[in-house]
């Protein structure tokens, strides 16, 4: 499936901003800390975790500090973000992929997390179906996203 013009713009803009994204994403970092607080007790040895919209890999870094024995995968639609993450965190697995088409087998992940991503996803039903598909039976999905008119000026 060919990406839409909207997706191409998202990919391009986030790829260009990868190297300085962490310096300007104060709101996202605050939300990331809230997400970490909510999931920290769920991060067990050998947990297999997927971060959808992994960006620069900062959530990976925080999760690894909680428990270095987790198996972590990061997925981001923007190649620039993936490239940045791979350079920063060599012991993790980052791939470029779309949240609407997660390229992992069924029932793989104990935990799926996502911070500030789903407001950019075109087909939420498909994206959430994909999360359900890749989660283990007792797996959990924790996410934070902006709704409605939040940051509407960026979308325009």
């Amino acid at each position: 499936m060919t990406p839409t013009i909207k997706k191409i713009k998202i990919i391009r803009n986030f790829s260009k901003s990868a190297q300085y994204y962490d310096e300007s994403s104060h709101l996202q970092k605050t939300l990331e800390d809230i997400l970490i607080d909510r999931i920290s007790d769920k991060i067990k040895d050998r947990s297999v975790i997927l971060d959808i919209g992994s960006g620069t890999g900062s959530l990976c870094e925080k999760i690894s500090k909680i428990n270095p024995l987790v198996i972590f995968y990061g997925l981001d639609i923007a190649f620039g973000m993936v490239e940045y993450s791979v350079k920063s965190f060599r012991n993790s697995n980052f791939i470029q992929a779309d949240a609407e088409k997660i390229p992992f087998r069924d029932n793989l992940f104990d935990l799926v997390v996502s911070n500030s991503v789903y407001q950019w996803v075109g087909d939420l039903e498909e994206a959430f179906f994909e999360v359900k598909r890749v989660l283990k039976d007792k797996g959990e999905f924790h996410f934070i996203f902006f709704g409605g008119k939040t940051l509407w000026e960026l979308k325009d």
Side-chain angles (χ1 to χ4, degrees), residues 5-86:
I5 296 296
K6 180 181 175 185
K7 280 189 185 180
I8 292 169
K9 282 183 169 183
I10 290 168
I11 292 166
R12 185 181 315 125
N13 290 340
F14 278 100
S15 287
K16 285 181 186 177
S17 69
Q19 63 186 2
Y20 57 87
Y21 183 80
D22 287 337
E23 298 169 16
S24 60
S25 59
H26 305 292
L27 175 58
Q28 289 85 345
K29 296 299 174 204
T30 299
L31 295 174
E32 185 176 87
D33 290 338
I34 292 169
L35 185 59
I36 287 289
D37 285 343
R38 290 184 181 167
I39 65 169
S40 61
D41 63 326
K42 300 175 185 328
I43 301 170
K44 311 289 185 215
D45 289 357
R46 297 294 185 202
S47 291
V48 183
I49 300 173
L50 173 64
D51 179 11
I52 297 174
S54 55
T56 61
S58 61
L59 188 59
C60 167
E61 180 180 23
K62 290 177 182 177
I63 288 173
S64 295
K65 286 180 181 174
I66 293 170
N67 189 330
L69 298 177
V70 300
I71 301 164
F72 190 91
Y73 292 86
L75 176 153
D76 202 287
I77 197 168
F79 180 75
M81 290 291 192
V82 173
E83 186 177 47
Y84 184 91
S85 298
V86 167

